[in-house]
Amino acid sequence: RKEVEQDPGPFNVPEGATVAFNCTYSNSASQSFFWYRQDCRKEPKLLMSVYSSGNEDGRFTAQLNRASQYISLLIRDSKLSDSATYLCAVNIADAGGKLIFGQGTELSVKP
Amino acid sequence: NAGVTQTPKFRVLKTGQSMTLLCAQDMNHEYMYWYRQDPGMGLRLIHYSVGEGTTAKGEVPDGYNVSRLKKQNFLLGLESAAPSQTSVYFCASSYLPGSNNEQFFGPGTRLTVL
């Protein structure tokens, strides 16, 4: 079993739709959680960190469920520009600050 | 600030050839990382460094070596390239580990080994 797993998709949704991605992690010692966005053939960029109480940034909402060991990302009112691959990342508390990434979920928003 | 830069952007090697990928950051970050990204595999950590003069192995270190002689630079070497090393290589850096560990990525190096 991979340490961090995502549904690879692709998710094909119309503009204005709400879409949710889940990411499960296997190591209960995981400490920090992130969502990165990666556009085609580009580098990943941080979309948002995921806090224990959940957090929101505009149309994006991130949630953490430690008991079930998953994080989620909800995108409301999808835009064409949201089309990208979304990577979840998990940091296990150690001195190296290493992130373990999921394989990414591809989202395609259609007109 | 240029952020994280990588050279070269593209490279084609023959099996058995060697090369060095250069990563440079101008953000005074302590931590630097090398990843490879393959279709359906996500980003996998090759090696990383928690400071100048230190390196450590990641998830997939075999066939690669690294050096961090200067804080701002992190070099990834392939001594004898193999077709299995065809991939996109990303370098990243971060200032702090843990909960503030936003990693900033370079634009990537696309390597093909024939």
Side-chain angles (χ1 to χ4, degrees):
Chain A
R1 182 185 173 187
K2 292 181 180 177
E3 283 197 71
V4 179
E5 289 200 75
Q6 295 180 248
D7 182 342
F11 283 54
N12 296 304
V13 303
E15 267 188 296
T18 295
V19 62
F21 308 134
N22 282 336
C23 169
T24 59
Y25 60 94
S26 60
N27 192 325
S28 59
S30 299
Q31 191 175 56
S32 307
F33 309 88
F34 307 88
W35 284 102
Y36 279 76
R37 171 191 168 128
Q38 185 174 26
D39 293 297
C40 186
R41 302 181 70 79
K42 298 281 191 181
E43 72 271 24
K45 293 183 179 178
L46 182 66
L47 178 66
M48 58 197 303
S49 302
V50 186
Y51 302 122
S52 296
S53 55
N55 47 300
E56 191 174 300
D57 183 2
R59 298 181 293 109
F60 299 84
T61 300
Q63 297 277 356
L64 167 63
N65 186 318
R66 285 193 184 272
S68 301
Q69 296 187 191
Y70 74 86
I71 62 173
S72 63
L73 177 68
L74 183 76
I75 305 176
R76 291 182 300 278
D77 188 23
S78 300
K79 311 291 185 190
L80 295 177
S81 57
D82 293 334
S83 296
T85 296
Y86 292 83
L87 301 159
C88 64
V90 172
N91 168 245
I92 301 167
D94 69 7
K98 302 188 298 295
L99 291 180
I100 308 297
F101 284 85
Q103 69 267 47
T105 297
E106 184 182 347
L107 171 66
S108 180
V109 182
K110 306 291 187 184
Chain B
N1 288 349
V4 181
T5 58
Q6 292 183 233
T7 52
K9 288 185 169 54
F10 303 93
R11 186 71 184 269
V12 178
L13 290 178
K14 294 181 180 177
T15 297
Q17 286 185 316
S18 63
M19 77 164 294
T20 300
L21 284 67
L22 171 63
C23 175
Q25 53 92 6
D26 61 2
M27 296 176 283
N28 200 34
H29 285 172
E30 290 291 337
Y31 300 82
M32 297 187 75
Y33 311 86
W34 275 107
Y35 295 91
R36 60 178 288 174
Q37 186 173 37
D38 303 291
M41 301 291 289
L43 289 156
R44 292 183 293 169
L45 184 65
I46 304 171
H47 286 280
Y48 66 100
S49 168
V50 300
E52 181 179 317
T54 71
T55 63
K57 293 180 180 180
E59 182 186 0
V60 288
D62 294 341
Y64 305 95
N65 56 75
V66 288
S67 64
R68 182 103 181 266
L69 298 180
K70 293 183 179 180
K71 186 177 182 179
Q72 63 268 34
N73 296 336
F74 195 26
L75 278 64
L76 178 71
L78 286 72
E79 290 185 347
S80 179
S84 61
Q85 294 177 304
T86 293
S87 189
V88 180
Y89 291 86
F90 287 103
C91 175
S93 70
S94 67
Y95 181 61
L96 291 171
S99 60
N100 292 317
N101 186 32
E102 176 180 359
Q103 291 190 10
F104 295 84
F105 285 81
T109 295
R110 283 162 178 77
L111 175 66
T112 301
V113 183
L114 302 175

